[in-house]
Amino acid sequence: MAQRYGGEFSPGGQPKTPPPTRRPFDGQEPARSAGRVNFLFLAPLPLAIRAFFQPPTEMALTLVAFGILIGSAWLTRDGVMAHQAYDARKIARRPAIPRKLFGTVLMGAGLSLVGFAGGSALNAAIFGALGAGLHLAAFGPDPLRNKGAEGVDEFQTDRVARAVGEAEKHLNAMREAVSRIRDRRVEARLDQFIATARDMFRTVEDDPRDLTSARKYLGVYLLGARDATTKFVDIHLRDPHGGALGDYETLLDDLEANFAAKTKQFLKDDRSDLDVEIEVLRERLAREGVRSED
């Protein structure tokens, strides 16, 4: 029955091993600035209420300011999340859009309108400067450069960053799909597989030479797992007792076992490479020692 969802995407016929004992990793740790981001959404709400007790011109300016401030909060939230993902990876590309910086600009613009609607151009300038400055101080700028592993060329770094980024999109799509059935046990089981997959991501980031061997895992297998998850959710919602859940859990067991085995192979190969390098260095030191005695 597991073949129903795995099919051509099942990574080989390796025997299934029990899932490792680990604390489930949900992949959605609270952002470091979560409280401040939530405040950005709440702070403009009084403006929306006050606007309807003002003259038409001031009301229009206040409502526009409210919309700009909410847009700033939205951009800042996405920017904080992107920055968190950037910090969590050893190899990462800078965000394509500097959302936090745009959020800073919108914060300044929105508060300038509030100051202008309630007073003068001087108030607008003061409010805008204070708002933009405090926003930048609270959330900081976006990452402005790509991050790579030491000793790895930029081309390899970019390849790994792209591959891991696409793999993360597949994992997020799987989590989003499973959330539709509102079953915490299934979500926890999926999170356990996601943690195993991310172990492979970190291993590839530590040694980009592993990317060639890992590409089908990060691409083909996760793409197949994403599609299988979507199909499972659709079937389970139509018929919760039809056996699809058991098939899906079996698929996750197979995927997790194969991902864990491949990651272990990468680590073993890395240790073998280290042993070879150590042996070569020891031989060179021994030869140098003999020459020094002569």
Side-chain angles (χ1 to χ4, degrees):
M1 293 293 289
Q3 193 72 8
R4 177 180 181 181
Y5 295 102
E8 60 180 307
F9 299 107
S10 180
Q14 301 176 10
K16 181 171 66 177
T17 59
T21 302
R22 66 170 75 235
R23 178 181 178 272
F25 175 79
D26 59 12
Q28 294 182 343
E29 304 93 332
R32 294 166 301 178
S33 306
R36 283 170 284 174
V37 171
N38 291 336
F39 177 76
L40 291 182
F41 284 97
L42 297 175
L45 293 180
L47 292 177
I49 299 173
R50 191 183 74 177
F52 294 99
F53 298 94
Q54 294 177 315
T57 301
E58 293 182 7
M59 179 182 71
L61 290 175
T62 302
L63 288 178
V64 171
F66 170 78
I68 292 175
L69 292 175
I70 292 297
S72 171
W74 178 71
L75 282 173
T76 303
R77 180 194 61 189
D78 287 356
V80 168
M81 293 173 62
H83 200 156
Q84 183 187 20
Y86 175 91
D87 287 341
R89 300 177 189 173
K90 186 171 183 178
I91 295 178
R93 291 187 292 176
R94 63 180 177 82
I97 301 174
R99 297 177 182 86
K100 288 196 291 182
L101 290 179
F102 284 156
T104 297
V105 172
L106 289 182
M107 176 63 66
L111 291 180
S112 291
L113 274 181
V114 173
F116 186 75
S120 63
L122 179 60
N123 285 346
I126 294 174
F127 282 15
L130 284 176
L134 290 174
H135 186 282
L136 187 60
F139 300 102
D142 303 86
L144 299 179
R145 63 179 60 185
N146 296 335
K147 180 169 62 173
E150 184 178 355
V152 180
D153 63 76
E154 185 175 349
F155 174 74
Q156 285 286 75
T157 296
D158 192 56
R159 288 179 64 222
V160 172
R162 284 201 307 268
V164 172
E166 288 300 314
E168 286 285 359
K169 289 179 183 179
H170 296 326
L171 294 180
N172 291 334
M174 293 172 67
R175 179 184 281 111
E176 183 177 352
V178 166
S179 67
R180 291 166 50 199
I181 65 176
R182 301 181 183 278
D183 188 324
R184 291 186 177 180
R185 185 177 67 86
V186 179
E187 290 177 2
R189 181 63 191 88
L190 175 61
D191 286 341
Q192 186 170 306
F193 163 67
I194 289 176
T196 301
R198 284 181 169 149
D199 285 343
M200 177 181 286
F201 300 170
R202 303 293 86 84
T203 302
V204 173
E205 288 175 341
D206 287 337
D207 189 350
R209 293 175 300 176
D210 293 332
L211 178 61
T212 300
S213 298
R215 186 173 292 279
K216 64 181 179 181
Y217 286 83
L218 275 59
V220 177
Y221 294 156
L222 284 184
L223 177 61
R226 183 202 67 183
D227 294 342
T229 300
T230 302
K231 293 177 183 177
F232 153 69
V233 170
D234 291 339
I235 294 173
H236 185 73
L237 288 175
R238 291 196 302 265
D239 183 10
H241 305 291
L245 177 57
D247 294 342
Y248 183 64
E249 290 180 327
T250 300
L251 172 63
L252 290 180
D253 289 342
D254 292 340
L255 285 168
E256 184 173 344
N258 280 273
F259 270 72
K262 191 64 175 178
T263 301
K264 186 176 181 180
Q265 179 185 336
F266 288 151
L267 294 175
K268 183 178 179 180
D269 292 343
D270 291 344
R271 178 57 187 270
S272 297
D273 292 342
L274 175 61
D275 291 342
V276 170
E277 291 178 5
I278 291 176
E279 186 63 29
V280 170
L281 180 58
R282 291 179 64 185
E283 290 178 358
R284 289 179 178 174
L285 290 174
R287 289 198 298 270
E288 291 294 331
V290 171
R291 290 174 183 171
S292 64
E293 293 177 357
D294 295 341

